[in-house]
Amino acid sequence: MLAKNGGKYILFALAALLLCLFALHAAQQREETAKPHVLESFRLGTVTRVALYGENAAAEKALAEADKFLREFERIFSVNIASSDISRLNAKAGEWVAVSGECFRLVERARELAELTEGAFNPAIGGVVRLWRTGTPDQRIPERGEIEKALQSCDYRKIESRASEDGRYLRIPRGMELDLGAIAKGRAADMLKEKLREAGVKSAIIDLGGNLDVIGLSPEGRGWRLGLQRPWSPRGEYFGIVEAEDISVVTSGPYERCFEKDGKIYHHIIDPASGFPAESGLSSVTVIDGDSALADALCTALFVMGRDRAAKFLEKNGGVAAVLLSASGKTAFVTPAARKIFRLTDENIALEEIGGGSR
């Protein structure tokens, strides 16, 4: 009997072996797919990380192009590079200065968002920011007279633009200094995301230091789960999670860059109305949007506004997905749009809805 059916047993054994080998190969493929191709560097004044997931034969080339893009973007917008468009504008205040198309467009966008937020986000605050030098070895508390003088040159409405066949030009008044730090990283994330998509990337996460942007689904085949940092806690401790795909999550908080003097904390988010670090009663603001530049500017503006003023703004401009955490860390104010994708993970924090309306 065994001899008669031996061929069948051998065929069954070979089939089982092939099935096991196929399963092993599939598992190895899944493991390889889950391992990202990663680029880490220091760009735009922060540690940046770009991770590409999935099968992508051109991943290394895409990462090289991403690094090249970030270097070029930095050369346009960094206030620490003397030849950048922004540095040249500041150095030649009062004159028309030829700039790149990207600089022209972003300054125009920044001016529009300054109008929208009634100056809570202000791209012309560079002179005041330079006085504080927060996050540098020379950080200091400026004299009130210095701040008052610098504030006289922070009217974003006086930024001028001119486009013609021979190029694009910007002009700022004498004494004004532009600083696009509260929108440039968001714009960089938007542009890099589009470049990676064009390169065929289907799944990726872009981390530009507080600015997270994701492409497609996570390696597990579902929405990305992005934790919101608990202020003043070690990196990686979260109070809530955003789960979404193809989205940007941008957070601003005083804990990111600050220093202490005589028992008081001074942080980098300057209130354009006072010239001092914003005392808004908030410890962090997160905005979730497909437009990272918008999210970048709005999270700064909402932090400056504080809970009450932010509530009125969000009511008027409904549809903004935002999470605002109180200074005490005991209450998270969440807009209706954010409630759909945000989950509070800290049971010691109360959840309160804020804003509404339609955008």
Side-chain angles (χ1 to χ4, degrees):
M1 188 71 173
L2 182 61
K4 184 177 180 180
N5 295 320
K8 292 182 180 180
Y9 285 123
I10 291 172
L11 288 174
F12 286 143
L14 286 173
L17 178 60
L18 287 173
L19 185 61
C20 288
L21 289 173
F22 176 79
L24 180 61
H25 177 66
Q28 289 174 333
Q29 279 191 317
R30 285 194 299 272
E31 184 178 351
E32 287 300 316
T33 298
K35 291 181 180 179
H37 297 269
V38 178
L39 165 70
E40 289 187 345
S41 58
F42 189 83
R43 304 288 182 211
L44 309 176
T46 188
V47 176
T48 62
R49 186 175 189 271
V50 181
L52 312 183
Y53 293 84
E55 295 181 12
N56 188 349
E60 294 305 318
K61 181 180 179 182
L63 288 179
E65 288 298 315
D67 190 45
K68 179 182 177 183
F69 163 75
L70 289 173
R71 289 199 309 271
E72 292 174 348
F73 192 91
E74 190 172 46
R75 283 198 287 266
I76 296 174
F77 294 106
S78 175
V79 294
N80 298 315
I81 298 176
S83 60
S84 74
D85 284 6
I86 294 299
S87 292
R88 290 189 301 105
L89 267 169
N90 291 339
K92 297 182 178 182
E95 303 176 25
W96 285 103
V97 177
V99 297
S100 63
E102 185 52 46
C103 180
F104 186 88
R105 287 186 290 272
L106 189 56
V107 170
E108 288 274 85
R109 182 84 187 282
R111 190 169 53 183
E112 291 171 2
L113 291 173
E115 289 283 357
L116 177 68
T117 61
E118 297 181 343
F121 161 75
N122 187 344
I125 197 71
V128 179
V129 172
R130 182 175 52 79
L131 290 177
W132 287 89
R133 304 168 193 167
T134 308
T136 76
D138 301 319
Q139 57 196 12
R140 59 190 281 266
I141 303 173
E143 297 292 334
R144 186 172 292 274
E146 292 180 278
I147 292 174
E148 290 175 352
K149 182 179 179 180
L151 284 174
Q152 294 174 8
S153 301
C154 294
D155 188 350
Y156 59 85
R157 293 167 296 187
K158 294 183 178 179
I159 300 172
E160 298 178 85
S161 58
R162 186 184 75 201
S164 60
E165 292 183 358
D166 64 334
R168 294 173 174 84
Y169 299 84
L170 295 171
R171 181 167 69 180
I172 60 176
R174 292 188 185 278
M176 179 182 288
E177 293 184 36
L178 297 188
D179 187 334
L180 301 182
I183 191 173
K185 285 195 296 182
R187 178 56 181 162
D190 285 330
M191 294 181 69
L192 181 53
K193 186 174 185 176
E194 187 60 32
K195 288 180 179 296
L196 291 175
R197 280 176 171 158
E198 290 173 358
V201 174
K202 304 296 184 184
S203 176
I205 182 165
I206 300 166
D207 182 353
L208 302 184
N211 294 58
L212 293 176
D213 212 334
V214 293
I215 296 175
L217 297 171
S218 72
E220 292 78 22
R222 54 173 173 74
W224 294 86
R225 300 177 74 244
L226 306 171
L228 302 193
Q229 175 68 32
R230 188 193 307 276
W232 310 111
S233 296
R235 184 66 63 182
E237 290 191 13
Y238 305 121
F239 70 90
I241 293 174
V242 171
E243 185 164 356
E245 60 183 278
D246 275 319
I247 204 74
S248 180
V249 179
V250 185
T251 299
S252 285
Y255 58 90
E256 295 172 332
R257 292 200 309 275
C258 62
F259 65 95
E260 184 176 347
K261 179 73 172 179
D262 298 328
K264 183 177 176 63
I265 298 293
Y266 298 89
H267 58 80
H268 72 292
I269 306 175
I270 301 298
D271 183 346
S274 69
F276 282 81
E279 296 183 358
S280 61
L282 300 173
S283 60
S284 80
V285 172
T286 298
V287 175
I288 307 113
D289 201 278
D291 183 337
S292 193
L294 174 65
D296 203 359
L298 284 186
C299 69
T300 297
L302 292 172
F303 186 93
V304 168
M305 290 178 189
R307 190 253 181 233
D308 293 341
R309 187 177 164 198
K312 293 177 182 178
F313 175 86
L314 293 166
E315 181 71 33
K316 182 180 178 181
N317 299 276
V320 176
V323 180
L324 292 69
L325 189 65
S326 65
S328 66
K330 294 182 179 179
T331 307
F333 305 102
V334 184
T335 64
R339 292 199 73 161
K340 300 174 183 178
I341 53 177
F342 171 74
R343 177 168 58 87
L344 189 65
T345 57
D346 189 333
E347 60 184 16
N348 296 313
I349 297 178
L351 196 65
E352 185 178 317
E353 189 166 297
I354 187 174
S358 59
R359 185 171 67 174

